[in-house]
Amino acid sequence: MLTITQALVDQIVAHARKDHPDEACGVVAGPAGSDRPERFIPMLNAAMSPTFYEFDSGDLLKLYREMDDRDEEPVVIYHSHTATEAYPSRTDISYANEPGAHYVLVSTADTDGLGDFQFRSYRIVEGEVTEEEVQIVEAY
């Protein structure tokens, strides 16, 4: 289960809406070993595409060095889908290389008739996708 604050959910959704029609992407870092997302880090989609996202390799290297210096890890890796439901694509699954991370997808398309976005979380380990419950809290 992913436990995340409402403030972080709002920031992720706002980033997805801001970058629409391109996919948005980013990381929420947290203290190593805590499984607690704390620090919102929006990233640039280097692909600048409505159907694909890619972290810039230089930005990603800088981010991982910064997280290492702060004794943090990527607790949430997020991106948006602009025209499809919030479910990992084959490409998303192939690029998922953080088995301890929660992979959050936000869809900015109303694919289910339930509103203007979906917010869903998955664990992706060795190509296996498992959806998990999301618990939104005011504070930890």
Side-chain angles (χ1 to χ4, degrees):
M1 175 171 55
L2 169 62
T3 301
I4 188 168
T5 64
Q6 183 67 58
L8 286 169
V9 170
D10 293 346
Q11 288 177 294
I12 292 169
V13 171
H15 184 203
R17 287 181 170 150
K18 180 177 79 65
D19 283 11
H20 188 88
D22 289 338
E23 290 192 3
C25 58
V27 172
V28 183
S34 71
D35 197 39
R36 190 175 67 228
E38 292 184 351
R39 188 167 64 96
F40 176 70
I41 307 158
M43 303 284 285
L44 173 69
N45 178 356
M48 297 172 86
S49 166
T51 59
F52 180 74
Y53 83 98
E54 181 177 29
F55 292 118
D56 176 85
S57 58
D59 290 348
L60 199 56
L61 180 60
K62 180 181 170 194
L63 171 63
Y64 271 80
R65 285 183 174 156
E66 183 181 293
M67 286 189 300
D68 193 47
D69 289 346
R70 296 171 62 124
D71 198 26
E72 293 176 327
E73 63 189 6
V75 177
V76 169
I77 298 171
Y78 74 87
H79 78 280
S80 62
H81 282 181
T82 61
T84 59
E85 71 173 315
Y87 189 84
S89 68
R90 281 186 298 245
T91 304
D92 297 338
I93 295 165
S94 70
Y95 282 109
N97 59 3
E98 287 286 349
H102 302 270
Y103 285 87
V104 165
L105 274 106
V106 174
S107 175
T108 53
D110 184 4
T111 58
D112 59 7
L114 298 177
D116 58 355
F117 73 93
Q118 296 175 343
F119 188 99
R120 296 165 71 183
S121 184
Y122 304 88
R123 294 291 191 153
I124 305 174
V125 180
E126 295 178 7
E128 177 102 11
V129 178
T130 306
E131 187 166 7
E132 62 183 350
E133 182 183 340
V134 177
Q135 179 182 34
I136 300 173
V137 297
E138 287 305 313
Y140 302 122

